[in-house]
Amino acid sequence: MMPTPSPSASMYFRGVGTATPPARYTKAECLDAFQKSEWFARLDARAHFVARTVLQRDNGIEARRLAVDALAEVFQIDPNTLAKRFLAHAPKLAASAGQRALVQSGLHAGDIDAVVVSTCTGYLCPGLSGYVVELLGLRADVQAYDLVGQGCAAALPNLQLSRALLTGSTCVHVLSICVEVSSAAMYLDNDPGVLISACLFGDGAGAAVVSRQCQPVGRRIAWTDSTSLINPAERPALMFEQRDGMLRNILSRAVPGLAADHAHRVLNTVLGRAGLGTADVSAWIMHAGGRDVLLALERELGLGPRDLRYSAAMLHEYGNLSSAFVYFVLEAALNDAAPDGWWWLSSFGAGFSCHGALLKVSA
């Protein structure tokens, strides 16, 4: 008999939804567009080599969804164009994912008591939450929160806040949304980290309806425990900086090792409190920064490729979706009828930060 953690309050996933722009671009198409762009001539031979290496070798990514009608638009890189792209697509993607989560939950817009929206690829004031309230027709008295600046790790802090709202207020149902328009945070120069990140990230949104009450039918997905680890000393390894009025991604070679180490420490903390071991986890819902990150996670956690198959599959088809990614992985595991039991949900990113949550899934 499996030991059971004793959470102070329960949070259940009632519905999960995802959304992406319709345009799908393969890495071969991205390389061709880059070589035809004006930017190709602006960058040096080493930059050409880095881009070709990433986009031609097996890097775990085959395609990405980008919020542009043609790849040539990606190379229109100026503050006004990028800001307009974020405003045009982030609210719609967030609302689309939220609507799908609502439908799956069996609830209506009027049932939602709070909405929490995370992003790091653009800035709006009023924030994205107001657009989501408008597009989904949420109540005028809904509690609305915008979280920014947490990078790829943001899904778990978003859900941790959602749980706090369910525990400490009158909220019964909360809508959690992460949305990233990475094509609105494009930056190019000769730095290898900048070029690699430009080749990895895609656009998309993920959402979950979480509640005090579980689904009346189907699977029960209960949030039982979680923890976080934030290490400011490693902040320079992975972060955005403002340059020329735009966001420039800093991506270092240390990231795979940092991700694996921090993920292991967070996992051990929560599993230790529950009296569980790695072998007790039946499904792994992990953020995937890239193929090298997945390989580092396998080594550090003692896992095999099959354990991280959902993360690898989502990375292959969508690229790194930043904060939205783990919703896609969770949806893939549910659609594949992954075995009941203990599921591990984890995200990591800028900060350097890492978060993990233990879920109990049952029929």
Side-chain angles (χ1 to χ4, degrees), residues 9 15 27 50 67 72 76 120 127 131 156 173 177 191 268 282 289 314 317 347 359:
K27 61 185 180 183
V50 170
Q76 297 171 13
C120 69
Y131 291 86
L156 270 290
H173 306 295
I177 300 176
D191 180 81
N268 283 347
S282 58
M314 295 302 98
E317 185 56 30
S347 63
L359 310 181

Side-chain angles (χ1 to χ4, degrees), residues 48-335:
H48 298 166
F49 174 77
V50 170
R52 285 171 175 153
T53 300
V54 174
L55 293 172
Q56 287 180 331
R57 71 182 177 99
D58 179 11
N59 67 343
I61 299 172
E62 176 55 30
R64 291 179 285 167
R65 307 305 195 277
L66 299 172
V68 292
D69 294 324
L71 278 172
E73 296 176 30
V74 172
F75 300 99
Q76 297 171 13
I77 304 174
D78 65 83
N80 288 342
T81 297
L82 298 181
K84 289 177 182 177
R85 185 174 298 152
F86 185 82
L87 176 59
H89 295 281
K92 292 178 183 178
L93 286 170
S96 180
Q99 180 61 38
R100 290 169 183 169
L102 270 172
V103 169
Q104 190 182 94
S105 74
L107 299 172
H108 302 287
D111 297 320
I112 298 299
D113 302 302
V115 58
V116 185
V117 185
S118 297
T119 192
C120 69
T121 48
Y123 176 75
L124 297 176
C125 182
L128 275 169
S129 64
Y131 291 86
V132 171
V133 170
E134 177 186 23
L135 291 170
L136 292 182
L138 303 184
R139 300 194 318 259
D141 66 345
V142 71
Q143 297 182 46
Y145 301 91
D146 288 271
L147 303 181
V148 297
Q150 294 174 315
C152 295
L156 270 290
N158 184 305
L159 289 164
Q160 287 167 334
L161 174 57
S162 298
R163 188 186 185 204
L165 290 168
L166 293 171
T167 303
S169 73
T170 58
C171 294
V172 177
H173 306 295
V174 178
L175 178 57
S176 160
I177 300 176
C178 285
V179 58
E180 304 294 359
V181 185
S182 299
S183 61
M186 178 61 70
Y187 195 100
L188 290 176
D189 62 24
N190 288 314
D191 180 81
V194 169
L195 290 168
I196 291 170
S197 66
C199 297
L200 296 180
F201 286 90
D203 300 343
V209 174
V210 290
S211 306
R212 293 185 189 178
Q213 308 155 353
C214 64
Q215 274 279 24
V217 295
R219 280 178 142 181
R220 297 164 54 100
I221 308 169
W223 178 291
T224 65
D225 192 15
S226 69
T227 196
S228 297
L229 178 61
I230 299 175
N231 183 0
E234 298 293 352
R235 184 185 298 132
L238 182 62
M239 61 182 291
F240 267 134
E241 67 172 6
Q242 287 278 355
R243 186 177 292 192
D244 302 322
M246 296 176 288
L247 292 171
R248 180 180 185 270
N249 196 35
I250 296 174
L251 177 64
S252 74
R253 292 182 178 181
V255 167
L258 287 170
D261 173 67
H262 287 66
H264 197 183
R265 291 158 66 186
V266 166
L267 175 69
N268 283 347
T269 296
V270 176
L271 290 188
R273 289 200 293 243
L276 300 171
T278 302
D280 294 306
V281 177
S282 58
W284 297 86
I285 315 300
M286 304 287 290
H287 175 64
R291 189 189 66 167
D292 290 348
V293 170
L294 285 179
L295 292 174
L297 288 170
E298 286 180 17
R299 290 191 297 268
E300 183 71 21
L301 304 182
L303 304 177
R306 179 167 173 77
D307 295 310
L308 300 181
R309 64 191 181 279
Y310 300 122
S311 298
M314 295 302 98
L315 183 69
H316 184 267
E317 185 56 30
Y318 298 104
N320 185 340
L321 293 163
S322 188
S323 67
F325 191 87
V326 290
Y327 298 88
F328 283 73
V329 183
L330 179 59
E331 185 178 60
L334 290 168
N335 289 342

